[in-house]
Amino acid sequence: MNENRREIMENVYLTYLPATKFKTGCLSAQLVTPLRRETAAWNALLPPVLSRGTVRYPDMESLSAAMDRLYGMNLSTTIRKRGERQCVGFVTTVIDDRYAPGGEPLLEPAAQLLGELFLDPVTRGGRFLPEYVESEKTNLIDSIRSIRNDKRDWADRRLLEEMCAAEPYGVSRWGDEQSAAKINNQKLYQYSQRLLAESRLELFYCGSAPISRVEDALLEAFAALPRGAGLDPEPPRAVAAPAEPRIIHEAMDVTQGKLSMGFRCATDDVPAMILANLLFGGTSNSKLFMNVREKLSLCYYASSTYVRSKGILTVSSGIEAADYQRALDEILHQLQEIRDGHWEPWELEGARSTMRSALTSLSDSQGALENYCLGQAATGQSEDPETMQRLLDQVTPERIRAAAGSVTLDTVYFLHGKEGA
């Protein structure tokens, strides 16, 4: 989507998507920075602290009143992981000027408020307010701890921690509890100034305003943004699977086992790999769902995910502990079926149709468009949905088999009850 994205300041990019079908305008500002174990929690803590107030609106009550005066402007904090990059910031929506009483301009004040959240936060003595930082730090630590309560998410996270232990991709978007506990208001403020100066800023707008007006509003709102040496990370390095897969078994108080598997994909044929994953476990008509779950009843759930920006494929499944080896063997067998081209034409058409529907539906949601565009910009991709669909339509069965043939098992993580397996 390069034709919709332009650099408007040093290391500041605007993605502009004109649209008149929505009654709101969507405005997003995201700092894109390398995903690192030592800074992930700091980055994750910053948006909620910044959202507590600005110099003009120093608390949540006055900030909320300011948004109410903009006819219910909505503000959401975002903490996302895209490849080996961490993206933090805000997404706002505000009524499109066409629907405001008297055509009142709302884009400019919304952009101004967005800029103030980053550049003019409420401080005391050159640091964030301690009560704001401590409150949001407690919330962050609670979020990190709560992942253990969802055993499916926990198993999938532990798989990546083990599989990518020496890689940034193994780091959670929330960071870790130990790092978060060390943060205080003075250190966080000092860190925020470095992050603002060194990070790439991705701006996004979807609405009916002309690009000249959007650009002018954002240039004014972020005029004081400090610029320094960029921290833009290098592309993720390719990592080969080990000669023998790593097998990790862990016990917790669970009644249902969680089997997560990680594979390395050594192909550059992304469209073919997308379809291979959909055939394997990416849809309700996939091999994993239809055979491992439905036909053989070896799993309560089974699905696969392909992470293009990292070149890995993961499988997530819930099983009885006693069925561990059978489920593991059958999952690998179904992958071999894809490698061997053992699928029906309707299965491939179903996979294409699933992607066609997903890509087409992006245009129906400003939030989905923002998320898609951020992923593209953060990981250095450029295909718009229409281009990606054309690429998928051109994929041949031979290419799918070749892509699946590049997939190698790296790590198996099995979470079971304390009495099982």
Side-chain angles (χ1 to χ4, degrees):
M1 306 182 76
N2 285 344
E3 65 274 14
N4 297 317
R5 181 171 174 266
R6 64 169 72 177
E7 188 172 15
I8 62 172
M9 290 171 56
E10 181 186 354
N11 214 20
V12 177
Y13 294 84
L14 168 62
T15 298
Y16 171 77
L17 293 180
T20 58
K21 65 189 292 184
F22 303 108
K23 294 184 177 180
T24 59
C26 178
L27 196 58
S28 168
Q30 305 293 322
L31 295 169
V32 180
T33 189
L35 180 64
R36 294 174 176 167
R37 196 171 306 278
E38 60 271 21
T39 59
W42 295 72
N43 297 330
L45 182 58
L46 191 57
V49 169
L50 293 177
S51 72
R52 295 293 292 264
T54 69
V55 170
R56 274 206 302 164
Y57 311 111
D59 52 48
M60 297 183 74
E61 183 179 1
S62 59
L63 185 60
S64 179
M67 292 191 289
D68 285 342
R69 288 192 291 273
L70 295 176
Y71 303 99
M73 171 182 170
N74 179 267
L75 174 75
S76 301
T77 59
T78 54
I79 302 156
R80 290 176 278 193
K81 172 179 170 179
R82 293 293 179 268
E84 295 186 338
R85 292 143 172 88
Q86 195 174 9
C87 309
V88 298
F90 303 97
V91 176
T92 70
T93 55
V94 66
I95 293 176
D96 193 282
D97 294 355
R98 295 171 299 156
Y99 300 96
E104 178 182 348
L106 300 178
L107 170 63
E108 286 78 7
Q112 181 183 11
L113 183 54
L114 189 59
E116 288 179 26
L117 288 167
F118 283 98
L119 305 176
D120 209 12
V122 59
T123 58
R124 185 186 303 139
R127 60 193 70 180
F128 291 126
L129 273 58
E131 58 268 32
Y132 289 178
V133 172
E134 291 305 310
S135 173
E136 296 302 338
K137 186 167 75 171
T138 298
N139 292 338
L140 175 61
I141 290 174
D142 286 346
S143 295
I144 294 170
R145 289 174 177 172
S146 70
I147 298 174
R148 293 181 68 98
N149 297 329
D150 188 318
K151 298 304 186 288
R152 178 174 182 173
D153 285 350
W154 176 253
D156 293 342
R157 176 177 170 178
R158 286 288 298 120
L159 169 71
L160 293 179
E161 286 178 343
E162 294 289 344
M163 179 176 172
C164 305
E167 305 161 59
Y169 197 74
V171 178
S172 164
R173 67 188 176 106
W174 301 106
D176 60 82
E177 183 178 342
Q178 294 73 24
S179 297
K182 297 175 183 177
I183 302 173
N184 63 37
N185 60 318
Q186 181 178 10
K187 290 179 180 178
L188 183 62
Y189 181 76
Q190 293 170 345
Y191 175 77
S192 73
Q193 298 310 292
R194 295 197 305 273
L195 186 69
L196 285 168
E198 297 170 351
S199 298
R200 170 156 49 104
L201 179 62
E202 291 287 345
L203 302 169
F204 170 91
Y205 173 79
C206 180
S208 67
I211 188 169
S212 57
R213 184 178 160 207
V214 176
E215 189 171 331
D216 287 346
L218 290 170
L219 285 172
E220 182 174 350
F222 288 93
L225 181 70
R227 297 285 76 189
L231 273 180
D232 223 19
E234 306 216 344
R237 60 188 177 87
V239 176
E244 291 294 329
R246 289 168 283 225
I247 311 293
I248 297 103
H249 287 206
E250 288 184 351
M252 287 180 70
D253 242 342
V254 296
T255 56
Q256 184 186 111
K258 308 296 180 184
L259 174 60
S260 296
M261 303 166 65
F263 302 79
R264 302 283 181 176
C265 308
T267 180
D268 294 325
D269 192 345
V270 170
M273 194 63 238
I274 289 173
L275 290 175
N277 171 64
L278 291 172
L279 287 165
F280 176 47
T283 73
S284 58
N285 289 322
S286 66
K287 296 290 189 184
L288 293 185
F289 188 91
M290 297 297 290
N291 294 303
V292 185
R293 182 185 186 276
E294 295 293 298
K295 183 178 178 181
L296 299 174
S297 299
L298 286 173
C299 300
Y300 296 102
Y301 62 86
S303 63
S304 65
T305 302
Y306 170 54
V307 183
R308 168 188 180 177
S309 57
K310 183 59 183 170
I312 64 175
L313 184 147
T314 59
V315 170
S316 178
S317 63
I319 65 173
E320 290 293 334
D323 290 331
Y324 164 76
Q325 193 61 52
R326 287 182 63 212
L328 176 65
D329 291 344
E330 190 59 35
I331 290 170
L332 293 175
H333 171 68
Q334 295 304 325
L335 177 59
Q336 190 59 48
E337 292 287 277
I338 305 299
R339 292 184 181 122
D340 294 339
H342 294 163
W343 66 78
E344 298 297 327
W346 67 264
E347 293 178 85
L348 178 53
E349 182 49 40
R352 292 194 207 271
S353 178
T354 295
M355 279 304 299
R356 189 178 300 116
S357 176
L359 292 168
T360 301
S361 66
L362 286 174
S363 62
D364 295 329
S365 166
Q366 289 170 310
L369 281 170
E370 186 273 343
N371 192 51
Y372 180 86
C373 291
L374 176 66
Q376 296 284 96
T379 57
Q381 301 164 23
S382 60
E383 304 95 349
D384 59 29
E386 293 78 14
T387 300
M388 177 54 76
Q389 186 56 60
R390 286 197 299 272
L391 294 174
L392 291 167
D393 288 340
Q394 295 166 5
V395 173
T396 62
E398 291 75 21
R399 286 172 57 189
I400 294 174
R401 293 200 298 269
S406 78
V407 176
T408 306
L409 181 61
D410 183 295
T411 303
V412 174
Y413 174 85
F414 182 43
L415 178 67
H416 55 79
K418 293 181 178 179
E419 75 293 339

